[in-house]
Structure formats: structure tokens, C-alpha cells
Amino acid sequence: MKKISAIFISVLIALSCGLQAQTFNVKKYGAKGNGKRIESPAIQKAIDACHKAGGGTVIVPKGTYLSATIQLKDNVTLHLEKDALILGTTDYKAYDNLDPFTEGLGIEVGRALLVAVDAHNIGLTGEGAIDGQGSALKERHIKEDTRPEKDRWGLRPFLVRLVRCDGVNVNGVTLRYAGAWTSHYFHCRNVNISNVTIRSFGVAHNDGIDIDGCQHVRISHCDIISGDDALCFKTTSSKMACSDIIVSDMLLKSNQSGIKMGTESMAPFENIRISNCKIYDTKNGGIKLFSVDGAHLRNVEISDITMDEVRTPMLFRLGARLNVFRKNEDTKQPIGSFENVTIRNVNAIAADKAQLDPPSGILITGIPGHYITNLTLENIHIRLLGTGTPEDALSKVPEAIDQYPEVKTFGPKIPAYGVWARHARGLKLKNVTFELKNPDARPEILCEDADVEIYK
């Protein structure tokens, strides 16, 4: 009986491996790859056939495949061969929104070119590309939709959106020119993202990678140039934390932030490690960590970071905006916390032109009665323009307790050139140094309602 059982198990394993090895070429399901007509129905047929057969790989060979929404399903990997291009249609009305929600500025969003919802064991791999034609799509959109930009942009599609998926592998592909966010992972588990190239700018809200309430995530060796935040962690729902996340070996350029956490921040951010990254030419911050909607941000470590030409290298904020992003699922939360965060081994060259005039290096601020606690900055060196005046040293910084969290919220002037800290407890500065290109009359370190230990 044991021998028969062993044979039976071996057969099952062989059958399982055989199913996983199946391939489904989209051209056999009617795709032409000539870029002349919408091919998403043919691609979807291949995905559906692969899913129905128990799983495998859907092959997209060399060619251009004009597409609207494509939905990945259980046990399916979409593999883009070299010179294969899935090209999003500029018809913004052609995209589906399978999981609507409200983003940080209050707009309903969620349409996408490539989407998966409640799927298991899915992949996006290969040397090919997905291009959303963001600028052309926006141009068409604004001709047909005369509302203000702040009201209409949510109709534009994300490029890749994975919702409540478990077992995700994204490797090797190039993601280009989304109509909104480039890649959004919401409430996903067991996610691996590696060797991905992102070139997505030209319209507003072109985030690179958005990790939104995901767990057991590994991200490495990605090269991102984005119009909005390059690597961004969010929790648009209170029901699932961003936790057990390791990021390494990233190249990040952004018109906003290099590494950002908490623009939407309802559930916790915890047990997150980010290391060995280069951030360059960012227009609105290098490292920005926020809890403003009730999240507990804790046990985060960021290390071995270089920054070059970065406006405002660091901002840490605990606030009380207390937004709700999924109106039918969540309610307003109490004020959260910000504790046990370490930033170490950072070498930064701050941009001479910044949101703050003159530039400052590190901003740290809680709100009255709610403190940023046990923040450690260790082995930090920042080069700054200087030029601050005695009048600048007298600047008053607004509390902005319930405001959108951004550097400009606290500007345009900060009364210290190095570290300005307010409403903080247990702040530790270990070998934190600043180099000035010009004299600056502001103090290097200024604390207001904050206690700090300084180690040289």
C-alpha cells in the first residue's frame, strides 16, 4: 500500500508539473501583433484557456498588441518575449475598474490595463514591455472631459494592478508611461518583484511601484524613473498592514519622492527593511515616512542609501489628517503612532533648488501630544547649499495638524539647515553631519518640544 501510495503521489507531481509547463501562444487565439486593432479579447482567450487547463504560461511573442483591460487568473504567468509590446489603447473609457477606491487626494481610481483580483500563483515575466501611452491618453481625455484635472484624472488607468492576490512573481519586464499609477499591489501576499524597469512620466500621478497593505514582499534590482513617487508604501484600507517587506538594490529617480511611506496610511507599516539604494534627481524628497490617517508606523529600517541632487533629503511626519479611502468599508481612525524607526548609512547631496528656500536636510515633526518616538539617525552625511539668514532662523513652521503631508506644507522656510525636530521623544543622532557650500546663519540642529541625544 505504501508503494502504491508513493507511485500515486509521484504521478500527481508529474501531472502537476506537466500542467504548469503548458504554454498558450496568444497568436493561436487570434492575436496578430500588428498594433492595428484591439487584441485584448484574444489575449484574454489565451489566459482563460490556460486557467481552465489548470495553469501554465501565456506567451506573447514579438509584436505590438493594442489592448484594453486584460485580467490575469489563477496559476497563469503572462510572459512577454523580447520585443513584445502590450500597448494600452488611448480610449480611456475602454478600461475596467474591478476594485474602485479613493486615493489620497480624494479621487475615485482603480481602472487598469493589466489586472488580477483574488488570484493565486500568477506571474508577469519576460523581456517585453507594457506601455500605457499615458500622455496620448491624457490628451484625448482632456478633449472629451472638460472638468478640472483634479476631478477627472481618476478615469485614467493604472498600468498593472493586482488586488488581493497570493503568490505573485513579476520579473524582467519593462513598464512604461502609465495613465496613472504604474504598478499597484493591494492586499497581496507572497510577492516577488525583481529586475523590473519602469519609465513612467509625462502625466501626473505616475507612481512607480505602490505597495498597498501587502505582506511577505521582496523587491530587488529594479530601475525606476517615475513622474510621481518611485517606491511608495500605502495602506488605503485599515484591514491589512504593510509588513514583512524587504527591499534592496534599487535605482530610483522621481519627480516627487524616491522612497515614500504613508501618503495613505490607515493600517500599520511594520517590519520593513530597505537597503542599498541610489536615489537621484528627485524633485520632492529622498526618504519620506508618514503616518497621518491612523497607521502605526514602527520597526522600519532604511540603510546604505546614496542620494544625488535630491530636494529635501528626509521628512518624517506623524499627523492627524485621518482620511478614509474606502468609504463603504472603513471609518475614520484615531491618531496613529510613529516609533522605532532607524535610518543609517546615508550619504546625500541635496539639490540647491528645493521646495524649501534655503534648503534644509531633515524635517521631523509630530503634533502636540502625539510624538515621533525613538527615531534613530546614524551615520548620515548631507551636503547642502547653505545661504540661510538670521531672519530665516526665526521662521515659524505651521503645525498643519490635519493637512496633506508634504515638504511644502511646512515651508517655505525652516529655522535650521540640518535637523529641525518638533514633537519628538527619544530622538537619537549618531554621527549625523552636514557640509555647507555657503555659510548659513541658521542653527545646524533645532528642537522644539523634542528631546534629542547627539553622539559624534
Side-chain angles (χ1 to χ4, degrees):
M1 181 64 71
K2 290 182 178 180
K3 185 176 181 180
I4 293 173
S5 298
I7 293 172
F8 180 65
I9 290 169
S10 298
V11 170
L12 286 178
I13 292 171
L15 285 172
S16 175
C17 291
L19 287 173
Q20 293 302 316
Q22 292 184 99
T23 60
F24 298 77
N25 192 310
V26 298
K27 289 195 170 181
K28 292 183 179 180
Y29 293 84
K32 301 298 183 184
N34 57 19
K36 293 182 178 180
R37 63 185 179 95
I38 296 293
E39 310 240 54
S40 39
I43 297 172
Q44 192 64 55
K45 285 181 182 178
I47 291 171
D48 292 348
C50 182
H51 168 65
K52 187 176 180 180
T57 301
V58 173
I59 302 294
V60 182
K62 177 180 178 180
T64 298
Y65 303 82
L66 189 63
S67 297
T69 298
I70 300 164
Q71 185 175 0
L72 275 178
K73 297 185 177 179
D74 287 357
N75 304 315
V76 175
T77 291
L78 186 65
H79 183 80
L80 308 180
E81 293 187 339
K82 186 176 181 180
D83 297 323
L85 173 64
I86 294 178
L87 186 67
T89 175
T90 59
D91 181 5
Y92 61 94
K93 297 177 183 177
Y95 295 95
D96 299 326
N97 190 346
L98 302 183
D99 180 68
F101 73 102
T102 303
E103 56 74 66
L105 295 174
I107 301 298
E108 185 177 281
V109 295
R111 296 166 181 253
L113 174 51
L114 180 64
V115 64
V117 178
D118 298 315
H120 293 76
N121 304 321
I122 59 173
L124 173 62
T125 64
E127 298 180 68
I130 303 178
D131 189 320
Q133 299 197 87
S135 293
L137 185 147
K138 178 182 177 181
E139 184 178 357
R140 177 173 176 174
H141 184 196
I142 62 178
K143 288 179 180 178
E144 300 174 5
D145 187 344
T146 58
R147 293 177 299 163
E149 176 68 7
K150 67 179 180 63
D151 297 326
R152 68 183 170 213
W153 79 265
L155 293 178
R156 297 201 287 270
F158 298 3
L159 200 66
V160 175
R161 184 152 188 255
L162 306 183
V163 177
R164 297 185 300 275
C165 296
D166 191 342
V168 175
N169 179 43
V170 179
N171 180 271
V173 294
T174 296
L175 306 178
R176 303 197 302 235
Y177 307 114
W181 298 355
T182 307
S183 59
H184 179 221
Y185 303 79
F186 175 72
H187 284 194
C188 294
R189 289 183 169 90
N190 303 305
V191 177
N192 183 69
I193 305 167
S194 59
N195 300 298
V196 172
T197 299
I198 292 178
R199 298 291 183 267
S200 192
F201 47 87
V203 301
H205 314 291
N206 278 155
D207 290 15
I209 296 175
D210 286 308
I211 303 298
D212 185 352
C214 295
Q215 298 178 357
H216 318 307
V217 178
R218 303 294 181 263
I219 307 173
S220 65
H221 297 96
C222 297
D223 181 350
I224 301 175
I225 300 177
S226 63
D228 211 314
D229 303 319
L231 176 62
C232 189
F233 301 87
K234 307 169 178 284
T235 50
T236 59
S237 163
S238 68
K239 294 178 173 57
M240 188 164 162
C242 270
S243 66
D244 182 20
I245 297 172
I246 298 176
V247 180
S248 66
D249 302 288
M250 305 286 282
L251 191 59
L252 305 170
K253 176 181 178 180
S254 168
N255 286 337
Q256 291 295 322
S257 307
I259 297 169
K260 190 176 186 183
M261 197 173 294
T263 303
E264 296 94 347
S265 47
M266 295 195 72
F269 302 90
E270 55 193 3
N271 303 323
I272 298 173
R273 303 289 180 266
I274 302 172
S275 65
N276 197 32
C277 300
K278 179 177 180 180
I279 303 170
Y280 66 105
D281 293 347
T282 70
K283 303 299 190 291
N284 199 4
I287 297 170
K288 299 195 296 187
L289 307 183
F290 309 143
S291 170
V292 294
D293 301 308
H296 298 291
L297 192 158
R298 56 201 173 197
N299 303 330
V300 174
E301 180 179 299
I302 301 176
S303 63
D304 302 301
I305 307 294
T306 60
M307 303 187 197
D308 191 9
E309 287 299 306
V310 171
R311 296 185 184 181
T312 311
M314 299 185 205
L315 169 62
F316 307 103
R317 170 63 164 171
L318 172 61
R321 180 182 61 176
L322 304 180
N323 272 4
V324 176
F325 307 101
R326 293 173 179 266
K327 308 297 184 184
N328 298 324
E329 303 174 21
D330 268 319
T331 57
K332 183 181 289 189
Q333 301 205 118
I335 297 169
S337 62
F338 187 123
E339 58 187 346
N340 299 330
V341 173
T342 298
I343 314 293
R344 61 163 57 94
N345 303 337
V346 177
N347 196 330
I349 299 174
D352 291 348
K353 182 179 179 181
Q355 319 93 305
L356 304 174
D357 182 22
S360 293
I362 302 172
L363 282 60
I364 302 164
T365 178
I367 57 177
H370 296 272
Y371 297 92
I372 290 179
T373 305
N374 297 335
L375 171 63
T376 299
L377 306 178
E378 182 175 358
N379 297 331
I380 312 289
H381 181 76
I382 300 176
R383 186 182 182 189
L384 291 154
L385 175 67
T387 72
T389 66
E391 291 75 21
D392 295 336
L394 301 175
S395 299
K396 300 299 181 183
V397 182
E399 291 282 1
I401 292 171
D402 60 354
Q403 298 302 300
Y404 184 79
E406 268 304 351
V407 173
K408 65 182 181 181
T409 304
F410 306 103
K413 295 182 182 295
I414 299 296
Y417 69 78
V419 176
W420 172 76
R422 180 175 64 186
H423 309 312
R425 294 288 183 264
L427 175 62
K428 296 180 177 61
L429 306 179
K430 300 180 179 181
N431 189 31
V432 177
T433 60
F434 299 91
E435 176 185 351
L436 294 174
K437 295 166 66 174
N438 299 282
D440 198 308
R442 298 173 295 170
E444 180 177 271
I445 299 171
L446 180 63
C447 295
E448 305 172 23
D449 186 26
D451 64 69
V452 57
E453 299 177 29
I454 300 175
Y455 305 85
K456 293 297 185 181

